[in-house]
Amino acid sequence: MLVVGSGLSGVHATYPLVEAGLRVAMIDGGLDANKRDGVEKAPRVIGAKSNALDILMKGSFAFNKTYELLSVKSNIEIIQTLAKGGLSEFWHGLSDFLTDDELVQAGLSPDQIKEEYKVVSKLVNLDTSPELDVHGKLLLKRSPHGVYRLPVTYPYRTSEVVNKLKHHRNFTYLPGQLVLTVKERNRMVEVGIRPIQPDSNPRQLLHGRTKSVRGKYVVLAAGAINTTRILLRSKNLYNHKTTFLTKNHSMIVCFHPQVFFKSGEKVLINPGQLGIISNDLGQKLGAFVQLYRANPFMLSSAVQYVPLPRPIATMLLSLFMPSLVIADVRFPAFETKNKFCQLRREKNGGDILEIAFRLTQKEVKTQRRELEVVSKTLRSIGLFPLKVVSDPVTSHYGGGVPIGGRGKLATDINGRLKKSKRIYVADSSTWRALPGKPLALTMMANASRIAKEVLKKLRK
Ligand SMILES: Cc1cc2nc3c(=O)[nH]c(=O)nc-3n(C[C@H](O)[C@H](O)[C@H](O)COP(=O)(O)OP(=O)(O)OC[C@H]3O[C@@H](n4cnc5c(N)ncnc54)[C@H](O)[C@@H]3O)c2cc1C
C-alpha cells in the first residue's frame, strides 16, 4: 500500500492501514523545514510569496526547493511545502467540528465524519476547553451564546507522528522523493518518482529518468493543490480546467476597552481562541470569525496603517497593542467558474500549475453584507472595530478532484478516482466547498475514513 504525502491527511490515512497490519510505504518530499540554505531570496515564486511564509520559512531549504519544484502561477498567494509533516508543521493547532450542513456542502457524509471525529480527536489529544487569555475570558463571559471556545491540539507536529509510525515494522517512510505521476498497470499502481537533490532543478526532475514504486493501491494525500497537479499530469490533462477552492478573508482590527484598563494579567504563550459563526443572513454556510489577540510581532507591519509619523505611530501602537483583538473573518468558498486551476506545459519541458481565484459579483456583495453583520456582532460583544484589512489568502485549500464531479478529474464518495480501481484520494482536493471554520480536524477525519474504505475494498 502506498501513501503519498506526510501531512495530516497522509498520516491519518496511514494509521488505519498500519493498524490493520498492511505493509505501507509513505512517499514524500520529506524535506527538513528547519534546514537553512542561506538563500534569503526565494527563487521563481509567482504569486506565492506570503507574509506568513516569509516569517516561517524564508531562507529555508524546504521553502526554496518547494517553489522550484512545484511551480505555481497564481493571482493570489499560494502556500505549499514539500517539508516532512506538510503545512501542519507551521499551524497553530486550532480546529473545529463542522455541522451536518457544512459537511454536506463539502460533499462529505455527516454520519461517517462524525464517527471519525471521535477517533482523530483521541489520536491528536484534542483539548476542547483550552485556557484563554484575558481577551478570551472577558469576551466569553459577556456573550456566552454567540461566542465559543475553539478546540486546540497543541503542540502537534505531524513530522513527529511520522516518527512514531516508523516504530511499526510494517511502515516505511521514503522521504526526499518528488512524486510526478500515478498510473494503474497490471493490477498494480505505479508511482513515478524522482529523488530530490540539493542541486536538482525542475528540468532535470521532469526529464531525467523516473524511478517507479509499485503497490496494490495508492492513497494520494499530497495536499489539495499537489494531488490535483499529480493527477492532471498522470492523465495528461494539460490545459484542462478543474476546480480550485480557497477562502477569502478579511481581518478586522478591534479595540477591546475592557482590557485597556486591566493590567497584571498573566501572558499565555498559546492561549485558546474564540470563534463566532455568522449565519444571520440566513445562509447555511455563513462567515466564520476567529478572535485572537494582536501579535506584538505585527507591530512593524501595522505601523503603516496609522496616518501619523512613524515614531508616534510606533509609540501609540505599543501602548494599544495589548488591547487589540483581531477578528479574522473567513468566508466559505464554493465552486464557481472564476476559481480554477490548470496544468500548463512550459518551454523548458517542465510544467506549471496556473491558479485563478476571483469572486463573483454575488459573492462580493454577500461578503460585504456579512462583514457589516460581523462588525455589528463585534460591537455587541464589547469590541470596537477600527480597521478592516482584506486579504484573499488563507492556507486552507480544496477542490481539483471533486467528489461526484462531472469533469474528467473526480472521485466517488469513497475517494476512489473516477475510472480507476486502485487510486484513492484522501485530502481536501475532493471537497466541493470549504466552510469558513478551521478544517484540519475534518481533513484528518476524512483521510481516516478514506483509508477505511480502502480496507473494506481489500477485505472484499
Ligand atoms: C501558517 C499556517 C497556519 C495554519 N493554521 C491552521 C489552523 O490553526 N487550523 C487549521 O485547521 N488549519 C490551519 N492551517 C492549514 C492546515 O495546516 C492545512 O490545511 C493542512 O496542513 C493540510 O494538510 P494536508 O496533509 O492535506 O496537506 P499538506 O500539509 O500540504 O501536506 C502535503 C504533503 O505532501 C507532500 N507532497 C506534496 N507534493 C508532493 C509531491 N509531488 N511529491 C512528494 N510529496 C509531495 C509534502 O511533502 C507534504 O508532506 C494552517 C496552515 C499554515 C500554513
Side-chain angles (χ1 to χ4, degrees):
M1 180 74 59
L2 304 173
V3 174
V4 175
S6 67
L8 47 86
S9 302
V11 300
H12 285 276
T14 302
Y15 275 122
L17 303 172
V18 167
E19 272 167 14
L22 297 183
R23 281 177 53 208
V24 181
M26 178 182 275
I27 313 171
D28 187 29
L31 304 179
D32 179 353
N34 298 313
K35 189 178 149 198
R36 310 194 70 79
D37 64 5
V39 182
E40 282 303 307
K41 203 166 157 282
R44 203 167 60 107
V45 180
I46 307 166
K49 191 179 151 294
S50 110
N51 281 339
L53 261 185
D54 263 5
I55 295 162
L56 293 162
M57 298 175 79
K58 195 168 155 195
S60 97
F61 174 69
F63 172 70
N64 292 341
K65 218 55 211 164
T66 297
Y67 285 97
E68 238 177 56
L69 300 178
L70 304 175
S71 330
V72 183
K73 185 179 176 195
S74 167
N75 66 327
I76 55 159
E77 291 168 353
I78 295 294
I79 302 180
Q80 49 176 358
T81 180
L82 280 168
K84 178 178 175 186
L87 289 179
S88 46
E89 286 304 281
F90 313 101
W91 76 322
H92 312 299
L94 286 151
S95 205
D96 207 349
F97 299 94
L98 300 187
T99 60
D100 287 7
D101 279 339
E102 287 168 329
L103 290 168
V104 169
Q105 292 263 11
L108 304 170
S109 146
D111 289 346
Q112 288 176 331
I113 296 293
K114 279 197 245 166
E115 218 28 63
E116 292 304 325
Y117 274 153
K118 291 182 208 155
V119 177
V120 294
S121 299
K122 235 188 199 172
L123 275 173
V124 302
N125 233 341
L126 194 75
D127 183 355
T128 48
S129 58
E131 201 180 344
L132 297 171
D133 65 8
V134 59
H135 292 288
K137 279 184 205 151
L138 289 168
L139 293 169
L140 196 65
K141 214 165 151 191
R142 197 171 162 140
S143 51
H145 302 301
V147 181
Y148 65 101
R149 222 182 275 233
L150 286 171
V152 173
T153 164
Y154 195 89
Y156 175 87
R157 289 288 167 259
T158 319
S159 57
E160 282 164 26
V161 183
V162 177
N163 293 342
K164 278 192 196 149
L165 280 166
K166 284 203 257 179
H167 295 308
H168 293 262
R169 279 186 171 185
N170 52 335
F171 175 79
T172 313
Y173 180 54
L174 301 172
Q177 308 298 331
L178 184 75
V179 171
L180 297 173
T181 51
V182 285
K183 295 209 168 130
E184 272 188 51
R185 285 191 221 282
N186 306 329
R187 298 188 169 194
M188 299 291 276
V189 185
E190 215 172 76
V191 177
I193 55 168
R194 295 273 162 78
I196 303 171
Q197 309 288 355
D199 56 350
S200 53
N201 65 48
R203 191 154 186 209
Q204 278 170 339
L205 277 162
L206 293 165
H207 288 278
R209 258 192 76 209
T210 315
K211 282 193 199 161
S212 61
V213 183
R214 287 171 165 227
K216 281 207 161 163
Y217 287 83
V218 66
V219 179
L220 288 173
I225 293 175
N226 287 302
T227 289
T228 305
R229 183 199 301 266
I230 294 169
L231 288 173
L232 285 171
R233 188 187 291 125
S234 307
K235 295 195 159 276
N236 211 8
L237 289 172
Y238 287 90
N239 306 325
H240 172 82
K241 286 184 186 168
T242 187
T243 57
F244 168 78
L245 298 169
T246 190
K247 302 175 212 169
N248 195 31
H249 79 148
S250 290
M251 286 192 278
I252 309 181
V253 184
C254 304
F255 177 55
H256 193 185
Q258 265 192 299
V259 171
F260 189 67
F261 298 108
K262 221 174 156 77
S263 62
E265 191 75 23
K266 185 174 77 163
V267 176
L268 298 176
I269 305 295
N270 283 297
Q273 295 181 11
L274 300 176
I276 313 175
I277 297 176
S278 150
N279 46 12
D280 294 18
L281 293 168
Q283 301 188 106
K284 279 188 179 165
L285 259 73
F288 168 79
V289 188
Q290 194 168 317
L291 296 175
Y292 46 90
R293 70 187 166 144
N295 186 332
F297 291 121
M298 288 158 61
L299 197 130
S300 58
S301 44
V303 164
Q304 59 181 306
Y305 295 113
V306 183
L308 289 171
R310 207 177 164 89
I312 300 173
T314 309
M315 198 187 74
L316 279 176
L317 269 178
S318 328
L319 182 68
F320 283 98
M321 199 62 118
S323 351
L324 297 185
V325 167
I326 307 294
D328 187 349
V329 188
R330 305 207 187 120
F331 301 101
F334 305 97
E335 294 170 344
T336 62
K337 281 187 180 160
N338 298 357
K339 305 182 197 98
F340 62 87
C341 64
Q342 59 183 333
L343 196 63
R344 296 249 193 212
R345 284 190 201 279
E346 289 226 282
K347 278 191 191 135
N348 69 6
D351 53 32
I352 188 161
L353 193 71
E354 283 188 6
I355 294 176
F357 178 87
R358 279 182 197 84
L359 297 178
T360 60
Q361 283 304 319
K362 196 174 159 206
E363 284 173 326
V364 172
K365 259 192 199 161
T366 310
Q367 295 188 2
R368 222 176 266 153
R369 272 166 42 215
E370 282 210 83
L371 214 51
E372 280 163 21
V373 174
V374 169
S375 295
K376 249 193 224 161
T377 310
L378 294 174
R379 276 192 283 272
S380 76
I381 62 171
L383 294 172
F384 283 89
L386 301 173
K387 169 109 198 148
V388 180
V389 183
S390 289
D391 181 9
V393 62
T394 60
S395 36
H396 302 183
Y397 302 113
V401 200
I403 295 173
R406 291 206 201 130
K408 289 184 180 161
L409 221 49
T411 68
D412 67 10
I413 181 72
N414 300 329
R416 187 166 55 87
L417 187 69
K418 201 169 174 177
K419 293 193 177 164
S420 106
K421 290 192 176 127
R422 296 168 186 277
I423 302 173
Y424 281 76
V425 180
D427 55 39
S428 52
S429 56
T430 61
W431 296 17
R432 314 275 329 230
L434 295 180
K437 291 173 179 168
L439 301 169
L441 199 65
T442 311
M443 289 186 188
M444 295 174 186
N446 185 47
S448 175
R449 170 185 85 91
I450 298 296
K452 288 175 187 170
E453 292 300 337
V454 180
L455 283 173
K456 269 190 220 162
K457 174 123 189 255
L458 270 170
R459 285 184 187 131
K460 263 190 204 165

